[in-house]
Amino acid sequence: MSGDGPGRQDPARGDRRAADRRSRRSGTEPVTARSALGLRLLLSAVFLPVFVALTVLFALWAADAGPGESPDRGMLVAFTVVCALVALLAAVDLLVVLRRRGRARHGA
């Protein structure tokens, strides 16, 4: 077996088909269109600590809530879960943006 079949890929060359799909224009976007990675980086960096703090605040409030109080413990737990999910989303987006910016800087 020579290893030159259509299913094989030379690791030194990279996958040119995938690169062609990424660089080929697919619609009516301007030729000079740019990604908003800087804005995504700023928003993720600002809102990640905000939603982590809100998660902790709501969790502590829920732990201290007694029966019959308003808002009740169930509502505070729901707020805690929502804030934790938004914080997780911001953290994942922050990692994705940093990875993409790193690739763009290194020309990969």
Side-chain angles (χ1 to χ4, degrees):
M1 211 170 185
S2 66
D4 294 332
R8 299 282 182 170
Q9 173 184 328
D10 182 8
R13 276 187 346 176
D15 188 0
R16 290 180 190 237
R17 288 176 293 196
D20 288 342
R21 275 179 282 181
R22 281 193 304 262
S23 63
R24 192 175 341 141
R25 295 180 64 210
S26 62
T28 59
E29 72 272 4
V31 176
T32 58
R34 294 179 43 160
S35 174
L37 289 179
L39 179 61
R40 283 176 57 191
L41 179 67
L42 175 69
L43 290 173
S44 293
V46 167
F47 285 108
L48 176 61
V50 168
F51 279 99
V52 167
L54 285 173
T55 300
V56 171
L57 175 80
F58 283 127
L60 293 173
W61 191 4
D64 192 42
E69 288 187 18
S70 182
D72 65 342
R73 180 173 281 158
M75 184 61 72
L76 293 171
V77 169
F79 286 151
T80 302
V81 169
V82 169
C83 288
L85 289 175
V86 174
L88 179 65
L89 180 67
V92 169
D93 192 47
L94 187 63
L95 292 174
V96 168
V97 168
L98 290 174
R99 192 179 109 230
R100 285 185 182 174
R101 285 176 62 117
R103 279 186 180 175
R105 285 195 178 128
H106 293 98

